[in-house]
């Protein structure tokens, strides 16, 4: 500052009892100086070295409207980095919790689908192995429940058709046994009749031979 202006500010006590000390304690602030001297100050956040704290800091600058002064507010970079790291850790923790919850929900959803499908596969394998009484739980009210109900209906029809086929086969076996027994009886009767005829013919031949002696 010009000496006259400095003396006037001290006389006025512009900055209180420490006006002279503050005006004489001039420190280099390159980033802040360029912004303060600009015709239109940049209002964005910037990174610069703060001699007061002797640390790299982030700051913002604003220009007064009533007097030709600019004020800068500086925050040490380490504090901001620590806050960012804390926020990052919190976000990562929340993300892990959400991932775990999503995994648990996905596992439960998959289990709710795979369990009835496995039961359906076991019932189908049992029917293929000959156990036509195998059924699945069809109490669900979703698409899988309708699939289970359709499977049970199909299994019941297969069991009914198998029972009807068995009854038909048993009836056919009974008929075959009856026909076979009847044929055997007819065969025995025919053999007996043939034997009688042979005997009668033999007797007739003997009588005829006796008459012609």
């Amino acid at each position: 500052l010009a000496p006259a202006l400095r003396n006037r500010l001290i006389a006025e006590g512009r900055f209180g009892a420490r006006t002279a000390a503050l005006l004489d304690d001039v420190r280099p602030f390159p980033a802040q100086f360029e912004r303060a001297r600009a015709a239109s100050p940049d209002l964005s956040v910037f990174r610069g070295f703060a001699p007061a704290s002797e640390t790299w800091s982030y700051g913002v600058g604003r220009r007064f409207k009533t007097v030709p002064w600019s004020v800068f507010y500086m925050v040490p970079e380490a504090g901001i980095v620590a806050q960012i790291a804390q926020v990052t850790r919190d976000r990562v923790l929340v993300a892990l919790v959400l991932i775990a919850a999503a995994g648990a929900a996905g596992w439960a959803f998959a289990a709710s689908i795979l369990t009835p499908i496995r039961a359906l596969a076991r019932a189908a394998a049992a029917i293929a192995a000959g156990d036509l009484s195998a059924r699945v739980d069809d109490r669900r009210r979703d698409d899988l429940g309708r699939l289970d109900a359709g499977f049970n209906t199909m299994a019941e029809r297969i069991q009914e058709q198998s029972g009807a086929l068995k009854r038909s086969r048993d009836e056919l076996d009974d008929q075959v046994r009856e026909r076979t027994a009847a044929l055997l009886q007819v065969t025995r009767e025919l053999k007996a009749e043939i034997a009688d005829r042979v005997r009668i013919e033999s007797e007739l031949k003997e009588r005829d031979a006796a008459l012609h002696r």
Side-chain angles (χ1 to χ4, degrees):
L1 297 178
L5 178 57
R6 174 183 177 278
N7 294 333
R8 183 168 62 83
L9 292 175
I10 294 173
E12 293 175 356
R14 175 67 62 89
F15 306 111
R18 298 183 63 246
T19 298
L22 292 174
L23 293 177
D24 294 338
D25 186 15
V26 179
R27 302 184 186 183
F29 283 71
Q32 293 87 331
F33 181 77
E34 295 295 331
R35 294 170 186 273
R37 298 287 293 175
S40 178
D42 186 0
L43 302 180
S44 62
V45 178
F46 64 93
R47 180 176 180 270
F49 187 78
S53 60
E54 296 184 351
T55 59
W56 284 95
S57 304
Y58 290 98
V60 292
R62 294 294 184 268
R63 179 169 296 174
F64 294 150
K65 295 182 179 180
T66 56
V67 293
W69 290 79
S70 297
V71 61
F72 293 91
Y73 179 76
M74 307 297 292
V75 178
E77 182 181 27
I80 295 179
V81 171
Q83 293 180 12
I84 293 175
Q86 182 62 40
V87 171
T88 302
R89 287 192 295 270
D90 294 342
R91 295 291 176 86
V92 169
L93 180 61
V94 171
L96 291 176
V97 171
L98 292 177
I99 291 173
W107 180 86
F109 180 72
S112 67
I113 295 177
L114 293 178
T115 299
I117 290 178
R118 288 172 179 168
L120 186 63
R122 288 193 297 270
I127 289 177
D131 182 10
L132 301 182
S133 64
R135 298 291 186 272
V136 292
D137 185 7
D138 58 355
R139 291 177 296 178
R140 296 170 62 101
R141 293 295 178 265
D142 53 6
D143 292 337
L144 289 175
R146 287 189 289 272
L147 178 63
D148 293 340
F151 176 85
N152 289 338
T153 300
M154 179 190 68
E156 290 174 0
R157 290 179 179 175
I158 291 175
Q159 190 174 20
E160 291 175 358
Q161 293 174 359
S162 177
L165 182 61
K166 186 177 182 302
R167 289 191 296 272
S168 298
R169 185 172 62 250
D170 293 340
E171 292 175 359
L172 181 60
D173 291 341
D174 292 340
Q175 292 177 2
V176 169
R177 283 192 295 271
E178 292 175 359
R179 295 292 176 87
T180 302
L183 289 174
L184 291 174
Q185 181 63 30
V186 171
T187 300
R188 285 192 295 270
E189 292 176 356
L190 286 174
K191 286 182 178 180
E193 184 178 352
I194 291 172
D196 289 341
R197 288 185 179 184
V198 170
R199 181 180 54 78
I200 292 171
E201 289 179 357
S202 178
E203 291 178 354
L204 289 175
K205 287 179 179 181
E206 291 177 356
R207 290 180 182 179
D208 186 59
L211 290 174
H212 288 83
R213 287 178 182 174

